[in-house]
mmCIF file of all heavy atoms in Angstrom:
data_model
loop_
_atom_site.group_PDB
_atom_site.id
_atom_site.type_symbol
_atom_site.label_atom_id
_atom_site.label_comp_id
_atom_site.label_asym_id
_atom_site.label_seq_id
_atom_site.Cartn_x
_atom_site.Cartn_y
_atom_site.Cartn_z
ATOM 1 N N VAL A 756 134.038 75.025 98.924
ATOM 2 C CA VAL A 756 132.994 75.651 99.747
ATOM 3 C C VAL A 756 133.179 77.164 99.781
ATOM 4 O O VAL A 756 132.222 77.937 99.624
ATOM 5 C CB VAL A 756 133.011 75.075 101.173
ATOM 6 C CG1 VAL A 756 132.026 75.824 102.065
ATOM 7 C CG2 VAL A 756 132.684 73.592 101.156
ATOM 8 N N LEU A 757 134.422 77.613 99.979
ATOM 9 C CA LEU A 757 134.713 79.049 100.010
ATOM 10 C C LEU A 757 134.382 79.708 98.675
ATOM 11 O O LEU A 757 133.849 80.823 98.638
ATOM 12 C CB LEU A 757 136.187 79.256 100.357
ATOM 13 C CG LEU A 757 136.667 80.716 100.446
ATOM 14 C CD1 LEU A 757 135.916 81.446 101.555
ATOM 15 C CD2 LEU A 757 138.168 80.770 100.709
ATOM 16 N N LEU A 758 134.682 79.016 97.585
ATOM 17 C CA LEU A 758 134.392 79.564 96.260
ATOM 18 C C LEU A 758 132.889 79.734 96.040
ATOM 19 O O LEU A 758 132.454 80.699 95.399
ATOM 20 C CB LEU A 758 134.971 78.648 95.179
ATOM 21 C CG LEU A 758 136.493 78.626 95.070
ATOM 22 C CD1 LEU A 758 136.933 77.518 94.131
ATOM 23 C CD2 LEU A 758 137.015 79.975 94.587
ATOM 24 N N GLY A 759 132.107 78.813 96.557
ATOM 25 C CA GLY A 759 130.658 78.944 96.439
ATOM 26 C C GLY A 759 130.153 80.205 97.106
ATOM 27 O O GLY A 759 129.314 80.924 96.551
ATOM 28 N N ALA A 760 130.688 80.521 98.301
ATOM 29 C CA ALA A 760 130.280 81.740 99.008
ATOM 30 C C ALA A 760 130.725 82.986 98.257
ATOM 31 O O ALA A 760 129.979 83.964 98.136
ATOM 32 C CB ALA A 760 130.859 81.729 100.423
ATOM 33 N N LEU A 761 131.952 82.960 97.730
ATOM 34 C CA LEU A 761 132.477 84.111 97.007
ATOM 35 C C LEU A 761 131.701 84.359 95.711
ATOM 36 O O LEU A 761 131.372 85.496 95.369
ATOM 37 C CB LEU A 761 133.960 83.892 96.696
ATOM 38 C CG LEU A 761 134.729 85.076 96.096
ATOM 39 C CD1 LEU A 761 134.646 86.287 97.012
ATOM 40 C CD2 LEU A 761 136.185 84.692 95.860
ATOM 41 N N GLY A 762 131.404 83.283 94.971
ATOM 42 C CA GLY A 762 130.623 83.429 93.749
ATOM 43 C C GLY A 762 129.244 83.999 94.027
ATOM 44 O O GLY A 762 128.720 84.801 93.242
ATOM 45 N N CYS A 763 128.661 83.612 95.134
ATOM 46 C CA CYS A 763 127.352 84.124 95.527
ATOM 47 C C CYS A 763 127.404 85.635 95.741
ATOM 48 O O CYS A 763 126.534 86.377 95.271
ATOM 49 C CB CYS A 763 126.888 83.420 96.798
ATOM 50 S SG CYS A 763 125.313 84.012 97.451
ATOM 51 N N LEU A 764 128.433 86.120 96.422
ATOM 52 C CA LEU A 764 128.569 87.557 96.681
ATOM 53 C C LEU A 764 128.755 88.337 95.379
ATOM 54 O O LEU A 764 128.185 89.417 95.202
ATOM 55 C CB LEU A 764 129.754 87.803 97.623
ATOM 56 C CG LEU A 764 129.594 87.298 99.054
ATOM 57 C CD1 LEU A 764 130.875 87.527 99.847
ATOM 58 C CD2 LEU A 764 128.417 87.990 99.740
ATOM 59 N N ILE A 765 129.548 87.799 94.450
ATOM 60 C CA ILE A 765 129.757 88.476 93.166
ATOM 61 C C ILE A 765 128.455 88.535 92.375
ATOM 62 O O ILE A 765 128.132 89.547 91.748
ATOM 63 C CB ILE A 765 130.855 87.769 92.356
ATOM 64 C CG1 ILE A 765 132.201 87.891 93.068
ATOM 65 C CG2 ILE A 765 130.957 88.353 90.949
ATOM 66 C CD1 ILE A 765 133.311 87.103 92.417
ATOM 67 N N ALA A 766 127.688 87.465 92.395
ATOM 68 C CA ALA A 766 126.406 87.429 91.687
ATOM 69 C C ALA A 766 125.446 88.463 92.249
ATOM 70 O O ALA A 766 124.717 89.130 91.495
ATOM 71 C CB ALA A 766 125.801 86.034 91.778
ATOM 72 N N VAL A 767 125.436 88.630 93.567
ATOM 73 C CA VAL A 767 124.586 89.652 94.187
ATOM 74 C C VAL A 767 125.001 91.045 93.708
ATOM 75 O O VAL A 767 124.161 91.896 93.390
ATOM 76 C CB VAL A 767 124.677 89.564 95.726
ATOM 77 C CG1 VAL A 767 124.030 90.777 96.375
ATOM 78 C CG2 VAL A 767 124.015 88.284 96.218
ATOM 79 N N TYR A 768 126.308 91.276 93.605
ATOM 80 C CA TYR A 768 126.798 92.566 93.116
ATOM 81 C C TYR A 768 126.352 92.816 91.676
ATOM 82 O O TYR A 768 125.996 93.938 91.302
ATOM 83 C CB TYR A 768 128.324 92.610 93.214
ATOM 84 C CG TYR A 768 128.952 93.781 92.514
ATOM 85 C CD1 TYR A 768 128.803 95.070 93.016
ATOM 86 C CD2 TYR A 768 129.685 93.609 91.349
ATOM 87 C CE1 TYR A 768 129.373 96.150 92.364
ATOM 88 C CE2 TYR A 768 130.252 94.680 90.692
ATOM 89 C CZ TYR A 768 130.103 95.950 91.208
ATOM 90 O OH TYR A 768 130.661 97.017 90.560
ATOM 91 N N MET A 769 126.341 91.770 90.866
ATOM 92 C CA MET A 769 125.984 91.926 89.456
ATOM 93 C C MET A 769 124.521 92.319 89.276
ATOM 94 O O MET A 769 124.146 92.904 88.258
ATOM 95 C CB MET A 769 126.277 90.640 88.686
ATOM 96 C CG MET A 769 127.751 90.310 88.620
ATOM 97 S SD MET A 769 128.105 89.100 87.351
ATOM 98 C CE MET A 769 127.832 90.082 85.894
ATOM 99 N N VAL A 770 123.682 92.002 90.258
ATOM 100 C CA VAL A 770 122.285 92.417 90.174
ATOM 101 C C VAL A 770 122.193 93.940 90.094
ATOM 102 O O VAL A 770 121.354 94.500 89.387
ATOM 103 C CB VAL A 770 121.499 91.901 91.396
ATOM 104 C CG1 VAL A 770 120.072 92.442 91.385
ATOM 105 C CG2 VAL A 770 121.476 90.383 91.398
ATOM 106 N N TYR A 771 123.103 94.620 90.799
ATOM 107 C CA TYR A 771 123.053 96.078 90.847
ATOM 108 C C TYR A 771 123.706 96.735 89.638
ATOM 109 O O TYR A 771 123.557 97.939 89.429
ATOM 110 C CB TYR A 771 123.744 96.577 92.125
ATOM 111 C CG TYR A 771 123.012 96.171 93.377
ATOM 112 C CD1 TYR A 771 123.429 95.084 94.140
ATOM 113 C CD2 TYR A 771 121.874 96.861 93.796
ATOM 114 C CE1 TYR A 771 122.755 94.704 95.289
ATOM 115 C CE2 TYR A 771 121.191 96.491 94.948
ATOM 116 C CZ TYR A 771 121.644 95.418 95.683
ATOM 117 O OH TYR A 771 120.958 95.047 96.809
ATOM 118 N N LEU A 772 124.450 95.954 88.823
ATOM 119 C CA LEU A 772 125.096 96.538 87.639
ATOM 120 C C LEU A 772 124.071 96.915 86.578
ATOM 121 O O LEU A 772 124.226 97.911 85.885
ATOM 122 C CB LEU A 772 126.117 95.550 87.052
ATOM 123 C CG LEU A 772 127.397 95.350 87.834
ATOM 124 C CD1 LEU A 772 128.296 94.354 87.107
ATOM 125 C CD2 LEU A 772 128.148 96.660 88.021
ATOM 126 N N ARG A 773 123.053 96.071 86.409
ATOM 127 C CA ARG A 773 121.973 96.307 85.441
ATOM 128 C C ARG A 773 122.508 96.616 84.048
ATOM 129 O O ARG A 773 122.132 97.580 83.386
ATOM 130 C CB ARG A 773 121.059 97.456 85.893
ATOM 131 C CG ARG A 773 120.340 97.182 87.178
ATOM 132 C CD ARG A 773 119.326 98.241 87.470
ATOM 133 N NE ARG A 773 118.269 98.240 86.477
ATOM 134 C CZ ARG A 773 117.198 97.477 86.525
ATOM 135 N NH1 ARG A 773 117.035 96.626 87.516
ATOM 136 N NH2 ARG A 773 116.281 97.537 85.589
ATOM 137 N N ASN A 774 123.445 95.801 83.584
ATOM 138 C CA ASN A 774 123.988 95.992 82.242
ATOM 139 C C ASN A 774 122.998 95.552 81.182
ATOM 140 O O ASN A 774 122.230 94.617 81.371
ATOM 141 C CB ASN A 774 125.290 95.206 82.073
ATOM 142 C CG ASN A 774 126.400 95.756 82.941
ATOM 143 O OD1 ASN A 774 126.784 95.140 83.903
ATOM 144 N ND2 ASN A 774 126.904 96.930 82.612
ATOM 145 N N ALA A 775 123.061 96.200 80.022
ATOM 146 C CA ALA A 775 122.149 95.872 78.928
ATOM 147 C C ALA A 775 122.392 94.466 78.408
ATOM 148 O O ALA A 775 121.480 93.769 78.036
ATOM 149 C CB ALA A 775 122.273 96.884 77.800
ATOM 150 N N SER A 776 123.627 94.062 78.377
ATOM 151 C CA SER A 776 123.925 92.721 77.888
ATOM 152 C C SER A 776 125.002 92.087 78.760
ATOM 153 O O SER A 776 126.121 92.584 78.839
ATOM 154 C CB SER A 776 124.404 92.747 76.437
ATOM 155 O OG SER A 776 124.819 91.457 76.035
ATOM 156 N N ILE A 777 124.655 90.999 79.421
ATOM 157 C CA ILE A 777 125.614 90.315 80.277
ATOM 158 C C ILE A 777 126.697 89.646 79.447
ATOM 159 O O ILE A 777 127.807 89.417 79.927
ATOM 160 C CB ILE A 777 124.888 89.297 81.180
ATOM 161 C CG1 ILE A 777 125.738 88.972 82.411
ATOM 162 C CG2 ILE A 777 124.513 88.065 80.416
ATOM 163 C CD1 ILE A 777 125.897 90.107 83.355
ATOM 164 N N TRP A 778 126.412 89.339 78.193
ATOM 165 C CA TRP A 778 127.425 88.719 77.337
ATOM 166 C C TRP A 778 128.560 89.693 77.078
ATOM 167 O O TRP A 778 129.725 89.316 77.054
ATOM 168 C CB TRP A 778 126.785 88.268 76.018
ATOM 169 C CG TRP A 778 127.625 87.277 75.263
ATOM 170 C CD1 TRP A 778 128.704 86.582 75.733
ATOM 171 C CD2 TRP A 778 127.458 86.864 73.915
ATOM 172 N NE1 TRP A 778 129.206 85.761 74.762
ATOM 173 C CE2 TRP A 778 128.459 85.915 73.630
ATOM 174 C CE3 TRP A 778 126.545 87.199 72.926
ATOM 175 C CZ2 TRP A 778 128.580 85.315 72.391
ATOM 176 C CZ3 TRP A 778 126.667 86.580 71.691
ATOM 177 C CH2 TRP A 778 127.678 85.657 71.436
ATOM 178 N N ASP A 779 128.228 90.950 76.875
ATOM 179 C CA ASP A 779 129.268 91.957 76.691
ATOM 180 C C ASP A 779 130.208 91.983 77.892
ATOM 181 O O ASP A 779 131.434 92.074 77.750
ATOM 182 C CB ASP A 779 128.651 93.342 76.504
ATOM 183 C CG ASP A 779 127.934 93.480 75.169
ATOM 184 O OD1 ASP A 779 128.054 92.556 74.340
ATOM 185 O OD2 ASP A 779 127.257 94.501 74.975
ATOM 186 N N GLN A 780 129.642 91.918 79.091
ATOM 187 C CA GLN A 780 130.471 91.964 80.295
ATOM 188 C C GLN A 780 131.364 90.729 80.400
ATOM 189 O O GLN A 780 132.513 90.804 80.822
ATOM 190 C CB GLN A 780 129.572 92.075 81.536
ATOM 191 C CG GLN A 780 128.631 93.250 81.507
ATOM 192 C CD GLN A 780 129.337 94.541 81.180
ATOM 193 O OE1 GLN A 780 130.335 94.890 81.813
ATOM 194 N NE2 GLN A 780 128.840 95.274 80.196
ATOM 195 N N TYR A 781 130.831 89.581 79.986
ATOM 196 C CA TYR A 781 131.621 88.354 80.029
ATOM 197 C C TYR A 781 132.818 88.430 79.087
ATOM 198 O O TYR A 781 133.937 88.063 79.440
ATOM 199 C CB TYR A 781 130.735 87.159 79.666
ATOM 200 C CG TYR A 781 131.477 85.841 79.618
ATOM 201 C CD1 TYR A 781 132.100 85.350 80.747
ATOM 202 C CD2 TYR A 781 131.538 85.099 78.444
ATOM 203 C CE1 TYR A 781 132.782 84.136 80.711
ATOM 204 C CE2 TYR A 781 132.209 83.892 78.396
ATOM 205 C CZ TYR A 781 132.826 83.411 79.541
ATOM 206 O OH TYR A 781 133.504 82.226 79.504
ATOM 207 N N ILE A 782 132.591 88.952 77.871
ATOM 208 C CA ILE A 782 133.683 89.073 76.906
ATOM 209 C C ILE A 782 134.731 90.065 77.415
ATOM 210 O O ILE A 782 135.938 89.881 77.223
ATOM 211 C CB ILE A 782 133.134 89.500 75.526
ATOM 212 C CG1 ILE A 782 132.251 88.384 74.950
ATOM 213 C CG2 ILE A 782 134.263 89.795 74.550
ATOM 214 C CD1 ILE A 782 131.551 88.760 73.665
#
Side-chain angles (χ1 to χ4, degrees):
V756 174
L757 181 62
L758 290 171
L761 188 57
C763 177
L764 292 176
I765 295 174
V767 169
Y768 170 70
M769 294 196 71
V770 175
Y771 294 100
L772 287 181
R773 297 188 65 86
N774 293 109
S776 174
I777 202 68
W778 197 14
D779 290 352
Q780 304 310 308
Y781 177 61
I782 294 174

